[in-house]
Amino acid sequence: MEDFEYRDGELFCEEVPLREIAEGVGTPCYVYSSSSLTRQFRAFNEAFRELPHLICFAMKANENLAVLKLFANLGGGVDIVSGGELFRALQAGIPPERIVFAGVGKSTEEIIMALKQGILMFNVESPEELDEINHVAKSFGRKAPVALRVNPDVDPKTHPYISTGLRKSKFGMDISLALEEYRRAAGMEFVEVLGVHSHIGSQITSVGPFADAVDKVLALVGRLHEVGVSIRYLNLGGGLGIAYQSETLPGPAELAETLVPRLRQMNLTLLLEPGRHLVGNAGILLSKVLYRKETPVKRFIVADAAMNDLLRPSLYEAYHEVRPLSAMSPQPALQRADLVGPICESGDFLALDRDLPDLKPGDLFAMMSAGAYGFSMSSNYNARPRVPEVLVKGGKHFVVRKRETYHDLIRGEEIPPFLANG
């Protein structure tokens, strides 16, 4: 995380001391580096320069309008999974022809919305969804562009909750049955078959699973051409992991080194859907220590950030490095403790049984590598307003989402008349 570094004992984001943001905006809050976001996108784009391609950011990782607009300005598109994400993408200025729509449960209303906007294509996840898209497109008198998502049954060797390409997964169609489904799609009056889509998981830490998946998918593409089904787009999804600790992981260049030779002669436009890799190490969550607590068997550090702000540790037992904003020594004193939040759940923790900096009440700290699946998975549990988001550009910072208020918590709610005078 080169855009987050200590200078004279203070942690900076680019040219801005994070203490300045914490004191001005308050904690908890998310902070993103525009320099890091730009560098990561350009690295992916450059790695696949040999092939016609489009980088479609998986916006479920981070849906902030400013982040989306930054990628749009760099020529990127988005991978969406809901009507709400489509709305956000359009609001951020993403051209519809750079939008692909995935997800196993697209509603009729969402299909209509996407057809009206003229998105690049639907990634179809089931035969019944294909039928519904054909039916909806007929009512508009236009063809719906589609790719079928095939499940190559490749083990990505990641957390089971984020493995999506195994045969038992809810995602996609079994690749052994895909040929017949493509024939059926090609015969539909209001469906235009454009591509093949595959996505095997998230936080993948080696290129081997990608190679296995693309080999299976290219074999399917070959069979499709033999039976007269022409494919123009190959969507290989995302899933390339990031270093949360000190791991050495492959980057876009290594991925391209594996995939490009396999694709060079295929005359296809490649779509890629990185999410975490573009934003994960470009963001942090700032927090403040409220209390310390010690029992006969445990030490606890109680922070103002909680599982509703950053769910990944509670949901996946995910690791996020904890850095104090002030560290006069490069190796601060450590203590074995749980870093927990104010939520009324035993599962509310940010770090569990870890050697942590010796943080005291009032100390500010950063949860590192929190740019992906941080705010986008946050909630109002325990009636906690969602936190602000800040984007840093050089020596300036911009609040790109305001902190919610208590009034925001009850927006849209209504007490019915029969309860009003009780």
Side-chain angles (χ1 to χ4, degrees), residues 208-268:
F210 291 105
D212 293 343
V214 77
D215 288 344
K216 290 187 176 184
V217 172
L218 287 178
L220 171 64
V221 171
R223 291 195 295 272
L224 289 172
H225 281 296
E226 289 172 3
V227 299
V229 179
S230 179
I231 298 298
R232 291 162 46 193
Y233 293 92
L234 180 62
N235 187 334
L236 295 180
L240 191 63
I242 63 170
Y244 282 98
Q245 300 185 55
S246 56
E247 312 99 311
T248 300
L249 301 183
E254 290 85 355
L255 181 63
E257 190 176 301
T258 297
L259 299 186
V260 168
R262 291 169 159 83
L263 302 172
R264 194 177 280 122
Q265 305 303 319
M266 295 301 295
N267 195 30
L268 297 168

Side-chain angles (χ1 to χ4, degrees), residues 41 44-45 48 53-57 75-78 270 272-274 278:
F41 182 91
F44 238 107
N45 214 26
F48 288 90
H53 70 275
L54 177 63
I55 306 297
C56 292
F57 170 57
V78 290
L270 176 65
L272 294 162
E273 300 169 343
L278 298 187

Side-chain angles (χ1 to χ4, degrees), residues 321-354:
E321 182 188 354
V322 178
R323 290 189 192 175
L325 294 201
S326 295
M328 301 312 295
S329 167
Q331 295 295 330
L334 301 178
Q335 62 172 350
R336 176 72 58 162
D338 290 359
L339 178 58
V340 302
I343 292 288
C344 195
E345 294 283 348
S346 296
D348 175 28
F349 58 86
L350 301 174
L352 197 61
D353 197 30
R354 289 245 305 269

